[in-house]
Amino acid sequence: MSDRLDRAELAALRTCTCFHLRKASRVVTQVFEEKMQSTGLRVTQLNLLAAISILGPSTINTLADKLAIDRTTLTRNLKLLEQQGSIDITAGRDRRERIASITPEGERALKAAFPLWQDAQSQVVEAIGQDRWCELMTSLSEAVDRIHAIDEPKN
């Protein structure tokens, strides 16, 4: 018995959902990053600022849940935004709870980056095609809901 997978088994990896989603994500992210380079914000940071602006002051747990980001990654990204002066992180009701809120500087950064984000968004939607983009957004949203449902207890 060999310790290696045979070619047929390895060939199955060509259909790896995770690989293909991450590959697509990298390609799309490159478009957004290139467009937004002059702002000093990464697209992930822009989305965090937007979420905090929309939700208002929010706990790290709330942000992690709403954005489907693990707490460690979120905390690392929030720390960068805090160092840039775009957000404040303060203590919550107890010592363990941390609350993120956007600063006036963060609101200005968000406003300055938004037109560049719009340009990138338009470029990606145009490349994909409006109808396919709408289908993709619907499919991705449904996929997230279905995959989250896997971990939910059945009543």
Side-chain angles (χ1 to χ4, degrees):
M1 172 120 171
S2 172
D3 289 339
R4 295 179 52 122
L5 294 172
D6 67 34
R7 288 192 182 278
E9 291 168 319
L10 287 171
L13 290 172
R14 289 185 305 204
T15 63
C16 177
T17 305
C18 186
F19 171 77
H20 285 281
L21 285 171
R22 290 178 63 92
K23 180 179 175 183
S25 177
R26 286 190 298 271
V27 169
V28 171
T29 298
Q30 288 168 2
V31 172
F32 281 86
E33 297 292 340
E34 186 177 307
K35 289 279 186 186
M36 294 178 44
Q37 189 173 10
S38 65
T39 68
L41 284 175
R42 300 186 63 99
V43 71
T44 51
Q45 294 171 323
L46 178 76
N47 284 303
L48 279 175
L49 283 178
I52 296 167
S53 182
I54 291 166
L55 295 171
S58 302
T59 66
I60 306 300
N61 284 340
T62 298
L63 288 170
D65 289 344
K66 294 277 185 192
L67 300 172
I69 300 174
D70 70 87
R71 283 182 45 93
T72 303
T73 302
L74 177 60
T75 299
R76 186 174 53 246
N77 286 317
L78 290 174
K79 188 157 193 73
L80 292 172
L81 289 172
E82 183 181 36
Q83 289 169 351
Q84 294 169 359
S86 296
I87 64 166
D88 285 325
I89 299 178
T90 56
R93 290 184 299 246
D94 64 45
R95 286 189 278 179
R96 294 174 299 169
E97 188 177 68
R98 309 295 286 155
I99 298 177
S101 53
I102 193 165
T103 64
E105 187 174 327
E107 289 287 0
R108 285 190 293 276
L110 186 57
K111 187 172 183 175
F114 188 74
L116 300 172
W117 172 86
Q118 284 180 305
D119 287 345
Q121 179 77 358
S122 294
Q123 184 178 343
V124 169
V125 171
E126 185 177 318
I128 295 171
Q130 182 70 40
D131 290 343
R132 288 182 93 183
W133 177 82
C134 287
E135 291 171 11
L136 178 62
M137 293 300 99
T138 299
S139 294
L140 288 173
S141 181
E142 289 174 0
V144 167
D145 291 344
R146 289 176 183 202
I147 293 167
H148 273 145
I150 293 171
D151 295 329
E152 292 176 1
K154 307 286 187 239
N155 290 337

